[in-house]
Amino acid sequence: MSEIKNYTVNFGPQHPAAHGVLRLILELEGEVITHSDPHIGLLHRATEKLAESKPFNQSIGYMDRLDYVSMMCNEHGYVMAIEKLLGIEAPIRAQYIRTMFDEITRILNHLLWLGAHALDIGAMTVLLYCFREREDLFDCYEAVSGARMHASYYRPGGVYRDLPHEMPKYKPSRWHSEKEVKKMNANREGSFLDFIEDFVNRFPGLIDEYETLLTDNRIWKQRTVDIGIVSPEMALSHGMTGPMLRGSGIAWDLRKKQPYAAYDKVDFDIPVGKNGDCYDRYLVRVNEMRQSTRIIKQCIDWLRNNNGPVILDDYKIAPPKREQMKFGMESMIHHFKLFTEGYCTPPGEAYAAVEHPKGEFGVYLVSDGANKPYRMKIRAASFAHLAAMNEMLKGHMIADLAAILSSIDVVFGEIDR
Amino acid sequence: MSKIENLASKLAERFKDKITDSVVALDELTIEVQPADLREVCLALRDEDDFSFEHLIDVCGVDYLEYGKSDWQTEAATSTGFSRGVEKDRGESDVKWGKGRFASVYHLLSMTHNHRIRVRTFPVGEPPRIDSVVDIWPSANWFERESFDLFGILYDGHPDLRRILTDYGFTGHPFRKDFPLIGEVEMRYDATLQRCVYEPVSIQDRTLVPKVIRDDSRYESIEEGQK
């Protein structure tokens, strides 16, 4: 009888289940994975080094491109670190807007994750449903910032501008008659807040739809229950945060434990799993979407009743109004200095962390008092999660690889930076 | 006494002269330790009940080569007037770095006590060397690989110290301050050779916004707080 040998398989970097550009070197014994070695860095753009060569504000756009499915949360971490260095705080209305958009972003992220996760496991339909709702949320991004994905909306000292009074509307075209367009625009007649309120009223019902497709689905459970179990001890020692940690039963959420923005003023729960398997992580994320809806609702109520500035009135950090610039020499100079040279921070270092949809997203800034960061380090949640990949995969069948990999929720923009 | 100062005094009491510097600034505690003491301090930080930092959030390399050096003169008048040409290390500033060139910075989090700490140590030599903490916190594995890849800091005792983010066969450590932003080589596909070839970079380094350091009186209160 001939000897059976282990063999080595190259998974990715061009594989639809590799979530971008992950290359996994797998050692297999039959269909069982005995060892895996993730090779990352294929999307490395040296964001941190680029940021060192630019004034602080010019790197906000790079933050969107880190984890490109939860754009505003990345921005939030970065502007919080700058604000900490400068010793400033955004006005309360900006804090609520940030809270609301962080949660919109969380839903965006979890919807993409849910769609892709289901698709990887073989449930095609969920993706289509999820992308339907993502469309509305991208419209929210567009309404406030003009960009559907890479918003650069958060600024040190607040947000770029206040919420708009009207939503962008569909226009009749060869493909959509006037009547159809009128129907499509039905929830876009009011202000931005009306639109997002309509969304959060509809959304819990839509989550029920996804759950009907998946939660009690026999095949779904067979593919995810007891797959990729992460024990609480392993989650801690491997630096896991976010849903990976909460899926294992540890109720740790920076929004509750170290509140930032307006999270200490809104009411929400932390969903926690029990077994730490793929199924629990799925449940945690689905429940997080429900909690996000709750938070957004409270933010809408507050924002409707309270007006005020959305960015600091300090022209050394935030630009003056354009109107003022037309008439005042001083505003003109401020504007010029701010956009050509930027602002200098006091020398020192700061670490700011936010509860990103994937876990703890931290930005460590070292400043020597210049108008550029001396060193910026981005702490990406999935980087630590992917590092534990080998431990999670060991002993699983090759078919479970797709389920485990996508249950981590990897996005290579932030892992490779 | 705030929570963080309380932690700082407990640390000072426990480690005494092992901690070479301890600063509380911006609600964050930073301690510095000698490379030789790193593992001992880390183990105590993880295991002792007063600290219980069970979570290693991040390991980060820093290169302090150009700390406090700017491209423009901003203050003292010169006989030739202010030039706006960008020249490295021309500006004068009060910010000086008196410690080692490389630093390895550890961010720790304790979920039990809900507090954070930053531990900094200065690896010595060329290449700089420091003990690995992988066996204390397994999550250090990839973070240390990253720091090795980008800064060339060698972590003694690391089980698998390979490059992680840069290309296969890359030379140099790109995040060091003396490594140019534009890189040293560029790659293209050569149709006649039918393979990728590496060549020296053809682009020039341009500084769009010069680095300046300005004194700002508004920050004096903040800086005072840091001291």
Side-chain angles (χ1 to χ4, degrees):
Chain A
M1 215 172 117
S2 67
E3 203 182 329
I4 301 169
K5 278 188 194 145
N6 289 357
Y7 53 104
T8 310
V9 170
N10 213 347
F11 173 92
Q14 305 297 335
H15 188 284
H19 285 244
V21 284
L22 170 66
R23 183 179 170 208
L24 273 176
I25 314 283
L26 299 172
E27 255 174 61
L28 302 176
E29 201 175 290
E31 268 195 78
V32 177
I33 300 167
T34 54
H35 184 80
S36 74
D37 178 20
H39 285 204
I40 62 166
L42 286 100
L43 203 62
H44 180 57
R45 295 148 297 173
T47 306
E48 294 158 356
K49 179 119 177 159
L50 284 170
E52 287 168 17
S53 72
K54 290 180 170 44
F56 287 96
N57 271 17
Q58 289 185 16
S59 301
I60 300 175
Y62 281 125
M63 294 299 125
D64 294 314
R65 287 152 182 84
L66 286 173
D67 179 356
Y68 41 76
V69 294
S70 34
M71 294 69 73
M72 288 207 198
C73 289
N74 306 338
E75 289 174 23
H76 202 165
Y78 181 58
V79 299
M80 263 170 57
I82 300 175
E83 286 171 355
K84 206 169 186 185
L85 267 180
L86 287 171
I88 56 172
E89 205 170 306
I92 181 74
R93 188 171 165 87
Q95 304 279 19
Y96 269 95
I97 293 178
R98 283 183 185 178
T99 310
M100 183 170 78
F101 268 97
D102 273 12
E103 294 312 310
I104 289 177
T105 309
R106 196 175 312 276
I107 296 179
L108 265 176
N109 177 80
H110 284 359
L111 280 177
L112 180 101
W113 167 81
L114 181 63
H117 187 43
L119 190 64
D120 281 345
I121 292 180
M124 182 84 198
T125 330
V126 189
L127 181 85
L128 305 173
Y129 283 107
C130 290
F131 271 66
R132 181 187 60 189
E133 272 72 73
R134 268 168 67 84
E135 198 60 27
D136 284 345
L137 296 174
F138 276 137
D139 287 346
C140 293
Y141 265 49
E142 189 185 350
V144 293
S145 73
R148 287 165 61 80
M149 289 186 81
H150 301 303
S152 317
Y153 179 54
Y154 294 3
R155 300 293 156 92
V159 295
Y160 174 58
R161 59 177 169 191
D162 207 344
L163 303 172
H165 295 297
E166 54 182 46
M167 284 296 290
K169 293 188 183 67
Y170 292 107
K171 292 191 182 76
S173 66
R174 279 157 70 185
W175 299 279
H176 296 291
S177 69
E178 203 131 328
K179 204 176 148 197
E180 278 177 313
V181 167
K182 205 166 174 201
K183 206 173 145 198
M184 286 155 73
N185 281 335
N187 54 3
R188 287 159 195 270
E189 297 301 333
S191 69
F192 171 83
L193 284 175
D194 295 334
F195 178 77
I196 185 74
E197 185 163 34
D198 172 67
F199 178 83
V200 291
N201 287 336
R202 275 186 295 134
F203 192 57
L206 299 169
I207 301 177
D208 294 340
E209 276 183 22
Y210 317 141
E211 286 217 74
T212 337
L213 286 169
L214 297 175
T215 304
D216 293 321
N217 184 324
R218 184 158 47 92
I219 307 172
W220 181 257
K221 280 187 151 178
Q222 280 169 352
R223 290 297 305 273
T224 55
V225 174
D226 283 346
I227 299 295
I229 295 180
V230 178
S231 67
E233 298 77 38
M234 177 183 165
L236 284 179
S237 65
H238 282 80
M240 290 183 180
T241 44
M244 294 291 290
L245 186 65
R246 294 194 283 272
S248 303
I250 300 176
W252 176 265
D253 190 321
L254 288 182
R255 292 175 295 172
K256 280 265 192 234
K257 307 282 176 178
Q258 298 174 3
Y260 54 95
Y263 281 112
D264 50 347
K265 299 182 193 78
V266 290
D267 183 33
F268 64 99
D269 300 323
I270 314 175
V272 178
K274 256 187 196 154
N275 308 319
D277 55 6
C278 291
Y279 188 67
D280 277 17
R281 291 195 280 274
Y282 155 76
L283 291 178
V284 165
R285 289 198 175 98
V286 168
N287 273 313
E288 271 183 18
M289 289 201 278
R290 292 187 195 278
Q291 297 302 328
S292 296
T293 327
R294 263 177 82 189
I295 301 175
I296 296 176
K297 259 190 190 153
Q298 296 168 51
C299 290
I300 294 172
D301 288 341
W302 192 93
L303 287 166
R304 272 193 204 287
N305 300 323
N306 296 275
N307 279 318
V310 293
I311 193 157
L312 276 189
D313 195 23
D314 180 351
Y315 301 149
K316 302 281 183 220
I317 292 158
K321 286 226 159 35
R322 185 142 294 262
E323 199 184 17
Q324 246 173 311
M325 269 168 54
K326 305 283 184 199
F327 299 102
M329 193 62 208
E330 202 176 326
S331 310
M332 184 77 187
I333 296 169
H334 272 127
H335 182 273
F336 178 76
K337 281 306 266 184
L338 195 58
F339 282 89
T340 52
E341 188 180 290
Y343 44 81
C344 296
T345 64
E349 49 193 342
Y351 177 84
V354 294
E355 185 71 29
H356 187 271
K358 293 178 171 63
E360 175 170 331
F361 177 89
V363 174
Y364 171 48
L365 278 179
V366 180
S367 168
D368 56 354
N371 56 341
K372 304 172 179 182
Y374 183 75
R375 165 93 168 107
M376 176 175 79
K377 165 83 206 241
I378 296 152
R379 193 271 175 194
S382 332
F383 187 83
H385 298 160
L386 196 69
M389 189 75 187
N390 182 32
E391 307 265 307
M392 290 170 70
L393 274 182
K394 229 178 255 174
H396 278 292
M397 306 287 270
I398 196 165
D400 297 328
L401 165 73
I404 295 176
L405 179 61
S406 61
S407 83
I408 300 180
D409 195 4
V410 284
V411 163
F412 274 84
E414 76 164 355
I415 292 174
D416 291 345
R417 281 159 284 150
Chain B
M1 195 156 60
S2 74
K3 196 173 163 188
I4 201 87
E5 280 159 357
N6 194 8
L7 175 67
S9 62
K10 265 188 196 159
L11 279 165
E13 199 180 301
R14 164 70 180 78
F15 294 113
K16 301 208 172 69
D17 52 343
K18 288 224 162 61
I19 296 177
T20 52
D21 195 8
S22 168
V23 182
V24 178
L26 308 173
D27 293 331
E28 293 174 22
L29 170 63
T30 310
I31 59 168
E32 283 174 10
V33 295
Q34 292 290 339
D37 299 330
L38 177 72
R39 286 183 52 85
E40 195 192 325
V41 172
C42 282
L43 262 175
L45 284 179
R46 185 191 69 176
D47 292 335
E48 285 174 20
D49 286 342
D50 277 349
F51 315 122
S52 46
F53 289 98
E54 65 280 271
H55 218 111
L56 174 76
I57 286 288
D58 189 30
V59 180
C60 163
V62 186
D63 176 4
Y64 283 102
L65 184 66
E66 289 176 4
Y67 195 81
K69 297 178 181 172
S70 61
D71 302 341
W72 274 5
Q73 277 177 302
T74 51
E75 299 275 321
T78 61
S79 55
T80 51
F82 288 110
S83 161
R84 285 308 176 226
V86 173
E87 272 174 50
K88 286 276 170 226
D89 195 16
R90 155 192 289 211
E92 70 291 324
S93 91
D94 299 338
V95 187
K96 297 275 182 309
W97 190 253
K99 296 166 183 168
R101 174 177 169 188
F102 291 102
S104 183
V105 183
Y106 305 80
H107 285 94
L108 310 179
L109 167 70
S110 162
M111 291 186 178
T112 326
H113 301 300
N114 193 8
H115 55 206
R116 292 175 189 269
I117 191 176
R118 180 185 301 131
V119 181
R120 186 170 25 223
T121 179
F122 296 97
V124 284
E126 181 57 44
R129 302 180 82 104
I130 187 79
D131 287 331
S132 166
V133 293
V134 172
D135 51 334
I136 304 177
W137 294 284
S139 57
N141 189 330
W142 276 26
F143 289 124
E144 287 182 353
R145 275 177 70 185
E146 182 191 322
S147 172
F148 158 69
D149 188 1
L150 302 177
F151 289 94
I153 299 172
L154 292 181
Y155 288 88
D156 284 328
H158 190 288
D160 183 26
L161 200 63
R162 284 176 292 153
R163 284 186 181 272
I164 186 165
L165 287 177
T166 51
D167 198 2
Y168 302 111
F170 191 89
T171 48
H173 299 288
F175 277 27
R176 288 189 174 190
K177 288 284 177 179
D178 47 11
F179 191 95
L181 182 67
I182 51 170
E184 276 161 352
V185 289
E186 61 186 26
M187 187 188 71
R188 66 178 171 88
Y189 178 74
D190 189 308
T192 48
L193 293 173
Q194 303 250 304
R195 64 179 173 84
C196 294
V197 291
Y198 289 86
E199 292 161 342
V201 277
S202 57
I203 51 172
Q204 277 190 334
D205 202 354
R206 276 206 307 160
T207 305
L208 295 176
V209 181
K211 179 180 171 187
V212 295
I213 297 180
R214 289 185 193 278
D215 273 337
D216 194 325
S217 56
R218 290 171 304 152
Y219 296 144
E220 269 161 19
S221 58
I222 299 176
E223 278 161 42
E224 227 109 90
Q226 286 181 4
K227 275 166 202 162

